[in-house]
Structures are given as C-alpha cells and as structure tokens.
Amino acid sequence: MLWDTHMHTHFSGDSEADTYEMVQASRNKNVDGICFTDHLDIDQPGQPPDRFLIDFPAYFKEMQAVQTRFHNEFPIQIGLELGLQPHLKEKLINIIQSHPFDFVIGSSHAVHRADPYYPDYYLGKTEDEAYREYFEAILENLAVFDCFDVYGHIDYVVRYGPNKNRYYAYDKFSDVLDEILHTLIQKGKGIEINTGGFRAGLGHPNPAECVLRRYREMGGEIITIGSDAHTPEQTAYEFQKVPDILKEAGFKYYTVFKKRKPVFYPL
C-alpha cells in the first residue's frame, strides 16, 4: 500500500482525534506506515492565540509512547505541519531546530493577515485575484524559509473559494505556479499529493494533477502522500486513486521522510 504522512490528532486545534484510534484506523486500511503532522500555526488570524499551538513535551511524550506500543508492528513517524508566515521566520526556525521531527510540512494557512478558509478573505477581490494572492504569498514564504521538507497542499485555497475549483486552471496561474515549483526544486524541497481535495468535493487532490505533472516535468522528484485526516475515518482517504495519479504524472516513486531524510518507495 502507501504511507499516509499527513494527519492530525487532538494536538491540532481543529481535531479531537485520539492518537491510538488514528493508528488503528490506518492499520485497518492497510497503509504501510504513518506520520503524525499536527498543526503549529502561530499568530493565525481570526483565532484565539493558543488554538493552533502545540505543547511539544506532551506531544513527543504521547507520540513516542505510541511508537513504543506499536514497535515492530507498524511504523510511526513524528512530524509537524508548520504554518508559514514571513514575520515568524526566526521563531519557526528555532522551533524546528529544537525538536527531533522526522518530517516537516510547510503550509500556507494565512495570507497577509487573512485566512482563506473563511469568506472574508475573498471580499473585495475576484476569485482569481484571491487565488493569485495565495500563490504569491507562497513565494514570499519560500524567500525566507528552508526549515521544511515539502510544501503542503499548494493549491489549498481552491478548497474554500466561492466556486472552489470550478474555474480554477493551471494555465491561469502557470507563471506563479511554475515559479513556486522551480523554487522548491532549487531548494531541494518536495511537494505532497493531498487527498483532502477529494474530501472537499473538488474531484481532484491538492495540488491538482496538472500541477503534479508540471512539478515532475520540471525535474521534481520528492513527493509525499497524505490524507490530511482529522478523524480516524479520514485516514488514507481515496488512497486507491493515488498510484495511478502519480504514475500518470510521471512518478515511479513516492517519498517518506525519516529523521528529515527522504526515503523513496516504488509505486
């Protein structure tokens, strides 16, 4: 099967999932291993200051206990989904350097002090303008951050736009998307295929297949797989579609990070 390397538990401000239940659900769906990547979103606009913070001593204590419980039965990695904003550069770098993560996803959950999850982000701009601002904000993050391994759900914004992905197309944003992909490749960073897009009703993963294909055409090789699960039922969501999507995009391997180093597995 595949590794699910993007999932959340009760340590994330938007999940109440029990860690052990996430493991058991993943095992029941025959994935080969998992990585927990709970949210750290400091200074997230519109949220209580502590909603997306993590008690790291408690986090590692519980995750290491889970690893011990399933030792030699089921591989479990400890990761983080890091909400990137340029003004947090020094703080986020220090956090990553201070903890023994296996894997770090860098994600954009805030754009210029606004959250694209909420309708207010789209006020006073066209949908295309809102999407372009999101992509340009990714470039702003890439200009200052290297403390992550892959960039998460690059076109995440289309999950929440007024028309979602109905009018979204790679060609509309090819200039900025190509610059994002080129920058990631130059930095030795990867991307993920995030099946949360299917769960959001897009009919496609995040990023869409055309972006995955373009990344591979440009020479990108590092691609991780994640469900973005926030409940046990969401683990390995639509994973049966992933091998064909990746093969059609030109991939022969997918990636799992262990101690921040990429390991490649055949599809």
Side-chain angles (χ1 to χ4, degrees), residues 211-252:
V211 180
L212 298 172
R213 185 165 53 250
R214 183 61 177 148
Y215 171 74
R216 185 69 196 98
E217 288 172 353
M218 295 175 71
E221 297 181 309
I222 298 172
I223 186 151
T224 59
I225 302 167
S227 64
D228 210 346
H230 288 67
T231 67
E233 296 75 21
Q234 295 172 352
T235 56
Y237 191 85
E238 297 283 24
F239 266 31
Q240 73 277 7
K241 297 179 178 179
V242 168
D244 285 345
I245 291 173
L246 291 183
K247 289 175 184 177
E248 289 172 8
F251 292 94
K252 296 181 180 179

Side-chain angles (χ1 to χ4, degrees), residues 38-59:
D38 278 295
H39 283 295
L40 178 67
D41 284 275
I42 299 171
D43 198 18
Q44 183 67 11
Q47 299 294 338
D50 61 349
R51 183 180 180 192
F52 288 104
L53 303 185
I54 294 180
D55 179 342
F56 284 114
Y59 185 58

Side-chain angles (χ1 to χ4, degrees), residues 197-211:
F198 291 113
R199 197 171 66 249
L202 303 181
H204 301 275
N206 295 115
E209 293 89 340
C210 50
V211 180

Side-chain angles (χ1 to χ4, degrees), residues 14 65 68 122 124 143 148 187 204 226 236 243 263:
D14 55 359
T68 300
Y122 304 90
F148 63 93
K187 285 176 170 279
H204 301 275
V263 179

Side-chain angles (χ1 to χ4, degrees), residues 186-206:
Q186 289 296 108
K187 285 176 170 279
K189 308 299 182 183
I191 63 173
E192 68 166 350
I193 177 171
N194 184 309
T195 61
F198 291 113
R199 197 171 66 249
L202 303 181
H204 301 275
N206 295 115

Side-chain angles (χ1 to χ4, degrees), residues 15-51:
S15 173
E16 297 180 359
D18 179 83
T19 310
Y20 288 85
E21 291 180 4
M22 295 294 279
V23 173
Q24 294 290 15
S26 300
R27 295 184 74 191
N28 291 342
K29 294 180 181 180
N30 296 316
V31 300
D32 285 338
I34 63 173
C35 184
F36 288 109
T37 54
D38 278 295
H39 283 295
L40 178 67
D41 284 275
I42 299 171
D43 198 18
Q44 183 67 11
Q47 299 294 338
D50 61 349
R51 183 180 180 192

Side-chain angles (χ1 to χ4, degrees), residues 163-189:
N163 296 287
K164 294 195 172 184
N165 62 338
R166 183 177 180 184
Y167 304 111
Y168 165 65
Y170 162 78
D171 291 344
K172 284 185 177 182
F173 308 100
S174 61
D175 56 336
V176 65
L177 285 169
D178 280 0
E179 189 172 352
I180 290 169
L181 298 177
H182 173 76
T183 303
L184 287 167
I185 293 167
Q186 289 296 108
K187 285 176 170 279
K189 308 299 182 183

Side-chain angles (χ1 to χ4, degrees), residues 39-266:
H39 283 295
L40 178 67
D41 284 275
I42 299 171
D43 198 18
Q44 183 67 11
Q47 299 294 338
D50 61 349
R51 183 180 180 192
F52 288 104
L53 303 185
I54 294 180
D55 179 342
F56 284 114
Y59 185 58
F60 277 93
K61 181 179 179 180
E62 183 164 320
M63 295 302 170
Q64 288 166 351
V66 174
Q67 286 180 322
T68 300
R69 164 64 181 82
F70 293 97
H71 183 62
N72 292 331
E73 293 181 46
F74 186 67
I76 299 169
Q77 308 290 352
I78 305 173
L80 185 71
E81 184 176 14
L82 190 64
L84 303 179
Q85 297 185 69
H87 69 281
L88 300 174
K89 177 182 176 180
E90 299 303 326
K91 184 175 292 187
L92 298 185
I93 290 172
N94 288 336
I95 289 170
I96 297 306
Q97 291 177 344
S98 301
H99 297 88
F101 297 107
D102 287 298
F103 179 45
V104 178
I105 301 171
S107 293
S108 291
H109 297 133
V111 178
H112 304 144
R113 305 301 305 141
D115 185 341
Y117 179 87
Y118 294 105
D120 285 355
Y121 171 73
Y122 304 90
L123 295 178
K125 63 189 85 166
T126 68
E127 190 172 63
D128 284 356
E129 288 171 342
Y131 290 178
R132 179 168 288 275
E133 183 182 7
Y134 180 86
F135 296 137
E136 289 174 347
I138 292 178
L139 285 175
E140 293 169 10
N141 284 328
L142 291 178
V144 298
F145 287 109
D146 288 295
C147 60
F148 63 93
D149 303 309
V150 306
Y151 216 99
H153 43 52
I154 286 174
D155 55 10
Y156 162 90
V157 66
V158 306
R159 292 186 190 176
Y160 307 111
N163 296 287
K164 294 195 172 184
N165 62 338
R166 183 177 180 184
Y167 304 111
Y168 165 65
Y170 162 78
D171 291 344
K172 284 185 177 182
F173 308 100
S174 61
D175 56 336
V176 65
L177 285 169
D178 280 0
E179 189 172 352
I180 290 169
L181 298 177
H182 173 76
T183 303
L184 287 167
I185 293 167
Q186 289 296 108
K187 285 176 170 279
K189 308 299 182 183
I191 63 173
E192 68 166 350
I193 177 171
N194 184 309
T195 61
F198 291 113
R199 197 171 66 249
L202 303 181
H204 301 275
N206 295 115
E209 293 89 340
C210 50
V211 180
L212 298 172
R213 185 165 53 250
R214 183 61 177 148
Y215 171 74
R216 185 69 196 98
E217 288 172 353
M218 295 175 71
E221 297 181 309
I222 298 172
I223 186 151
T224 59
I225 302 167
S227 64
D228 210 346
H230 288 67
T231 67
E233 296 75 21
Q234 295 172 352
T235 56
Y237 191 85
E238 297 283 24
F239 266 31
Q240 73 277 7
K241 297 179 178 179
V242 168
D244 285 345
I245 291 173
L246 291 183
K247 289 175 184 177
E248 289 172 8
F251 292 94
K252 296 181 180 179
Y253 300 87
Y254 73 97
T255 314
V256 174
F257 278 81
K258 300 178 181 181
K259 297 183 179 179
R260 306 293 305 284
K261 301 294 183 183
V263 179
F264 295 90
Y265 292 85

